[in-house]
Amino acid sequence: MDDPHEWTIRDANVADMAGQRVIDFKAHTLHVLSYSAPIRARMRLSELRAHLFTLPDQPDRIPYRTSYYNENWGFCLSHAALEALPEAEYDVVVDSTLAPGVLNYGELFLPGQTEDEILISTHICHPSLANDNLSGIAVASALAQRIAAMPARRFGVRIVFVPGTIGAIAWLARNESNVHRIKHGLVITGLGDAGPLVYKQTRRADAPIDRVAAHVLRHWPTPSRVIGFDPYGYDERQYNSPGFSLGVGRLTRTPHGTFKEYHTSGDHLDFVDPNQLTDALNAIEAMLDVVQTDTFYLSQNPKGEPRLGKRGLYRTVAGQADRQRQEMALLWALAYADGQDSLLDIAERASVPFREIAEAAQALEVVGLLVDTRAKV
Ligand code: ZN
């Protein structure tokens, strides 16, 4: 087979003999089978039916269907609309082009202090669908803005916006000589529905991001779960393929195919909750925070416990409980400050969120009790 052609769609409709458009791409982009070959013909409904796609069990929704790499044409419509069509003749028009072209993708790189990188990838190929995939584009864009506004980073962050499958494969093929720099990554999409956050592990479930994501979600204030890798899904399949094995996990909410709005016109803006998007964005940011700041500390006062009060380490915090938490975090950070346990190791031992231990360690570093063993760059 030749390289896949680029598809350009200008118009697509089915009109009755009075010229009334009964199916109209201009009314909803889902009405045309994606990748439809061009056609202009007059035919009876009985003949047209083989090219019409509906969802009988969700009769008011338009399905999203594609016909990649298999030359066909067709229309998608609600089952109710199909039922209302009289047996008659119709004029069918798909005004499209399938021809050699280009594959477009977006890529943003926010440099870090080292050559190592974090990859964030989201797919951009679904028309007029909000959760899968506009939510991923929105969260990735907001994440980019947040990261760009932050001070120096250890890892560079590379955010790619690619057509699903073909785009990720093309991106990997073009960047093969540099992908060894990617130490951690996440494929993100489907982050706006009402379901809990779902982290899908990497192929071997042994990448650092697997541990980081599980840690963050274990302490996350909203519901979440972790699932194992399986070879079906989004572009984690490409990044985890044996020839790359990049250690890229995936964060979604309700997995694809398991909510009834999936790949239908029911996946519209009202299906996506801005609070869920924000919660997902915060969770991703917390995961990247662990990756960016985890390090090993060495105590400068390791023989017995140093006095913390006289060093001003008990800052005024709201309540007794918060003060106790803060004090415990300081003690945990000191107790394991022999360069053997990372902050994440300590947070897991203490069963507290990474950030609490990280802040305690940073406060201890400020007063000279701890030294970061990571080489300053
Ligand atoms: Zn999809």
Side-chain angles (χ1 to χ4, degrees):
M1 184 178 154
D2 296 335
D3 287 344
H5 284 155
E6 183 177 15
W7 183 57
T8 304
I9 180 75
R10 289 172 291 273
D11 195 9
N13 66 84
V14 173
D16 62 20
M17 289 301 99
Q20 187 73 31
R21 290 180 172 211
V22 294
I23 309 172
D24 187 0
F25 166 73
K26 301 247 160 111
H28 202 303
T29 50
L30 292 183
H31 277 313
V32 69
L33 174 74
S34 280
Y35 229 66
S36 277
I39 183 175
R40 272 174 202 277
R42 178 168 290 183
M43 65 186 71
R44 296 202 59 82
L45 180 60
S46 54
E47 213 180 325
L48 179 58
R49 274 181 191 277
H51 295 274
L52 299 182
F53 301 91
T54 69
L55 294 166
D57 58 334
Q58 296 189 67
D60 295 322
R61 291 185 168 149
I62 309 164
Y64 166 51
R65 291 286 161 79
T66 62
S67 181
Y68 294 139
Y69 321 128
N70 169 25
E71 191 158 316
N72 193 4
W73 59 267
F75 293 86
C76 303
L77 68 163
S78 73
H79 199 69
L82 173 61
E83 303 264 85
L85 286 184
E87 259 324 314
E89 286 207 303
Y90 293 91
D91 282 323
V92 175
V93 174
V94 175
D95 179 14
S96 68
T97 309
L98 286 166
V102 296
L103 184 150
N104 290 306
Y105 59 77
E107 181 169 8
L108 171 70
F109 182 58
L110 301 164
Q113 297 160 324
T114 67
E115 293 243 296
D116 294 340
E117 296 181 10
I118 299 166
L119 176 72
I120 302 290
S121 177
T122 192
H123 64 277
I124 57 169
C125 46
H126 296 27
S128 305
L129 296 179
N131 197 40
D132 174 23
N133 52 201
L134 186 55
S135 72
I137 298 168
V139 171
S141 304
L143 180 69
Q145 286 178 323
R146 282 193 186 179
I147 294 170
M150 286 194 291
R153 295 163 287 274
R154 182 159 141 211
F155 292 88
V157 180
R158 191 174 292 278
I159 304 182
V160 299
F161 302 79
V162 287
T165 309
I166 189 173
I169 291 171
W171 186 86
L172 283 164
R174 289 175 59 121
N175 293 281
E176 193 167 349
S177 59
N178 289 325
V179 294
H180 64 276
R181 293 179 186 163
I182 294 168
K183 305 301 183 198
H184 315 278
L186 282 173
V187 166
I188 60 171
T189 196
L191 294 166
D193 64 85
L197 287 167
V198 176
Y199 174 73
K200 176 180 169 178
Q201 293 173 322
T202 64
R203 193 167 57 99
R204 298 265 180 230
D206 62 357
I209 192 69
D210 295 314
R211 186 176 173 217
V212 167
H215 173 80
V216 167
L217 294 181
R218 193 177 307 127
H219 296 283
W220 202 246
T222 60
S224 66
R225 64 196 169 93
V226 174
I227 60 175
F229 185 83
D230 70 87
Y232 196 68
Y234 295 117
D235 287 328
E236 69 277 8
R237 294 150 64 179
Q238 315 313 329
Y239 301 120
N240 279 274
S241 57
F244 291 106
S245 208
L246 290 184
V248 173
R250 185 187 82 187
L251 192 73
T252 64
R253 290 189 182 278
T254 310
H256 55 91
T258 64
F259 54 98
K260 66 182 191 314
E261 294 83 358
Y262 173 74
H263 282 193
T264 78
S265 57
D267 183 1
H268 51 65
L269 284 177
D270 290 345
F271 180 62
V272 167
D273 178 349
N275 295 320
Q276 293 290 82
L277 294 177
T278 304
D279 178 66
L281 172 60
N282 291 340
I284 295 164
E285 195 176 28
M287 291 173 191
L288 299 199
D289 175 44
V290 177
V291 167
Q292 294 280 18
T293 54
D294 194 23
T295 186
F296 294 83
Y297 278 98
L298 261 185
S299 176
Q300 301 304 291
N301 193 345
K303 296 181 175 171
E305 287 185 339
R307 283 180 63 196
L308 301 182
K310 79 165 188 184
R311 292 178 167 91
L313 282 163
Y314 296 134
R315 283 160 297 174
T316 41
V317 283
Q320 183 68 18
D322 286 344
R323 189 194 152 117
Q324 268 175 11
R325 271 188 92 86
Q326 189 193 61
E327 184 177 343
M328 284 307 296
L330 292 166
L331 295 179
W332 276 105
L334 282 168
Y336 284 93
D338 54 6
Q340 313 250 332
D341 281 13
S342 74
L343 294 178
L344 180 57
D345 293 328
I346 301 168
E348 294 206 323
R349 285 182 187 278
S351 290
V352 300
F354 172 86
R355 184 102 294 270
E356 286 183 26
I357 298 295
E359 280 173 11
Q362 284 155 7
L364 291 163
E365 187 180 20
V366 168
V367 298
L369 284 174
L370 294 187
V371 166
D372 186 347
T373 62
R374 196 173 64 210
K376 295 288 181 213
V377 289

